[in-house]
């Protein structure tokens, strides 16, 4: 059976962009693949090294969001990166064979440095981001890695590193391929890409009231000023969200908006209602799970032990191939 692996940095509670863009995909993949999903807490340190006080709590938030959304520990191996230190050993070994230009021209890291305004605070660890990511993947000999488009350059580097390793020391690792699923792209309430740092997101864990408030301030068609003005759904953020949460009614909503018989306030209320209805079972499950934090952490402890078995075997093979064991 092919193996799938993916990870997420623990940056806080997940939003519906994560849910529809990644987590729902994990839930599907776990049915067909030998699946490994992990919380990349060491990767969080590449940019958040001054603010480590949030990492443990954020790890728990991600665990709750994953389990509430249907990731099943009976089907998937769920673990925490830092609990499998073999990743970091392999990272070091790989770092010895990676030419400096490969990491220096990494566009994903360059984008992070620019977007987070890191400038001269960008660390040596951040430069090694794709090497650590490579080690996360190949230590499980994963065949497929479900990720977003922004991660593709990292995966190209991973494949280059694998080829270089296999050429120097003999075939050991398969080349991991990205699994780019056609995700619906979820806009935030301001129309930009949904993102925690832009403060335009709707969290899985938000209350119904908070969800409603956020939707009520969402931007719509700027040309639809009065309730009865005809609208242009194709430019409207609320309509884009309706497409995901109001599938059955979408034809009617579009028609009424264009005809000027549906005002934005009513339209938003309707969206908030449908969104809350869709998210209700996940939110209820999350609340339940939050009462059982010890058990949840235990699931990830157990998963980390399982992962560690695989990882330490691969690390041993790696050292044999490199003739240092
Ligand atoms: N870089 C990924 C992200 O920010 C997280 C990640 C770390 C990852 N290691 C990985 C994803 C290995 C897939 C495979 O989303």
């Amino acid at each position: 059976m092919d193996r799938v692996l993916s990870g997420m940095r623990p940056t806080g509670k997940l939003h519906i962009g994560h849910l529809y863009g990644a987590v729902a995909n994990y839930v599907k993949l776990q049915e067909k693949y030998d699946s490994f999903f992990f919380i990349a807490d060491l990767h969080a340190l590449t940019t958040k090294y001054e603010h480590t006080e949030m990492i443990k709590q954020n790890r728990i938030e991600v665990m709750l969001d994953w389990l509430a959304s249907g990731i099943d520990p009976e089907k998937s191996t769920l673990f925490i990166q830092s609990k499998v230190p073999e990743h970091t050993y392999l990272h070091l070994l790989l770092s010895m064979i990676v030419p400096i230009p490969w990491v220096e021209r990494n566009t994903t890291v360059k984008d992070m440095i620019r977007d987070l305004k890191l400038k001269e605070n960008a660390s040596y660890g951040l430069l090694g981001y794709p090497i650590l990511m490579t080690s996360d993947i190949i230590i499980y000999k994963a065949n497929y890695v479900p990720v977003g488009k922004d991660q593709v350059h990292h995966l190209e580097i991973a494949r280059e590193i694998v080829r270089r390793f296999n050429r120097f020391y003999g075939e050991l690792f398969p080349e991991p391929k990205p699994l780019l699923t056609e995700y619906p792209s979820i806009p935030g309430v301001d129309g930009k890409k949904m993102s925690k740092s832009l403060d335009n997101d709707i969290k899985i864990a938000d209350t119904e009231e908070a969800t409603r408030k956020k939707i009520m301030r969402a931007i719509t068609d700027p040309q639809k000023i009065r309730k009865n003005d005809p609208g242009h759904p194709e430019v409207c953020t609320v309509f884009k969200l309706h497409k995901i949460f109001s599938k059955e009614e979408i034809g009617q909503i579009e028609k009424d908006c264009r005809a000027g018989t549906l005002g934005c306030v009513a339209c938003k209320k309707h969206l908030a209602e449908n969104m809350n209805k869709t998210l209700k079972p996940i939110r209820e499950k999350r609340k339940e799970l939050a009462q059982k934090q010890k058990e949840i952490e235990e699931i990830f402890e157990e998963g980390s032990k399982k992962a560690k078995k695989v990882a330490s075997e691969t690390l041993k093979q790696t050292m044999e191939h490199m003739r240092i064991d």
Side-chain angles (χ1 to χ4, degrees), residues 15 34 89 221 273:
H15 53 62
D34 179 18
Y89 200 137
D221 172 7
E273 219 171 85

PDB file of all heavy atoms in Angstrom, residues 15 34 89 221 273:
ATOM      1  N   HIS A  15      -8.663  27.156  10.783  1.00  0.00           N
ATOM      2  CA  HIS A  15      -9.846  27.814  10.229  1.00  0.00           C
ATOM      3  C   HIS A  15     -10.429  26.967   9.095  1.00  0.00           C
ATOM      4  O   HIS A  15      -9.868  25.919   8.749  1.00  0.00           O
ATOM      5  CB  HIS A  15      -9.526  29.247   9.794  1.00  0.00           C
ATOM      6  CG  HIS A  15      -8.356  29.389   8.859  1.00  0.00           C
ATOM      7  ND1 HIS A  15      -8.333  28.821   7.598  1.00  0.00           N
ATOM      8  CD2 HIS A  15      -7.157  30.024   8.999  1.00  0.00           C
ATOM      9  CE1 HIS A  15      -7.193  29.132   6.993  1.00  0.00           C
ATOM     10  NE2 HIS A  15      -6.449  29.840   7.823  1.00  0.00           N
ATOM     11  N   ASP A  34      -1.777   4.143   3.495  1.00  0.00           N
ATOM     12  CA  ASP A  34      -1.148   4.038   4.794  1.00  0.00           C
ATOM     13  C   ASP A  34      -0.748   5.474   5.154  1.00  0.00           C
ATOM     14  O   ASP A  34       0.173   6.031   4.567  1.00  0.00           O
ATOM     15  CB  ASP A  34       0.082   3.124   4.645  1.00  0.00           C
ATOM     16  CG  ASP A  34       0.815   2.968   5.941  1.00  0.00           C
ATOM     17  OD1 ASP A  34       0.225   3.258   6.999  1.00  0.00           O
ATOM     18  OD2 ASP A  34       1.995   2.553   5.906  1.00  0.00           O
ATOM     19  N   TYR A  89      18.029  13.985  13.276  1.00  0.00           N
ATOM     20  CA  TYR A  89      19.301  13.334  12.957  1.00  0.00           C
ATOM     21  C   TYR A  89      19.432  13.193  11.441  1.00  0.00           C
ATOM     22  O   TYR A  89      20.469  13.510  10.848  1.00  0.00           O
ATOM     23  CB  TYR A  89      19.370  11.962  13.650  1.00  0.00           C
ATOM     24  CG  TYR A  89      20.765  11.402  13.804  1.00  0.00           C
ATOM     25  CD1 TYR A  89      21.159  10.799  15.000  1.00  0.00           C
ATOM     26  CD2 TYR A  89      21.684  11.461  12.764  1.00  0.00           C
ATOM     27  CE1 TYR A  89      22.429  10.283  15.155  1.00  0.00           C
ATOM     28  CE2 TYR A  89      22.966  10.943  12.916  1.00  0.00           C
ATOM     29  CZ  TYR A  89      23.332  10.356  14.105  1.00  0.00           C
ATOM     30  OH  TYR A  89      24.581   9.850  14.246  1.00  0.00           O
ATOM     31  N   ASP A 221     -20.338  42.673  -3.185  1.00  0.00           N
ATOM     32  CA  ASP A 221     -20.174  43.399  -4.438  1.00  0.00           C
ATOM     33  C   ASP A 221     -20.195  44.910  -4.150  1.00  0.00           C
ATOM     34  O   ASP A 221     -21.211  45.433  -3.689  1.00  0.00           O
ATOM     35  CB  ASP A 221     -21.326  42.994  -5.364  1.00  0.00           C
ATOM     36  CG  ASP A 221     -21.368  43.837  -6.624  1.00  0.00           C
ATOM     37  OD1 ASP A 221     -20.439  44.638  -6.852  1.00  0.00           O
ATOM     38  OD2 ASP A 221     -22.349  43.690  -7.379  1.00  0.00           O
ATOM     39  N   GLU A 273     -26.051  31.053   8.749  1.00  0.00           N
ATOM     40  CA  GLU A 273     -26.888  29.960   9.224  1.00  0.00           C
ATOM     41  C   GLU A 273     -26.417  28.620   8.640  1.00  0.00           C
ATOM     42  O   GLU A 273     -26.237  27.646   9.371  1.00  0.00           O
ATOM     43  CB  GLU A 273     -28.314  30.229   8.754  1.00  0.00           C
ATOM     44  CG  GLU A 273     -29.403  29.902   9.722  1.00  0.00           C
ATOM     45  CD  GLU A 273     -30.706  30.438   9.157  1.00  0.00           C
ATOM     46  OE1 GLU A 273     -31.325  29.716   8.342  1.00  0.00           O
ATOM     47  OE2 GLU A 273     -31.067  31.595   9.482  1.00  0.00           O
TER      48      GLU A 273
END
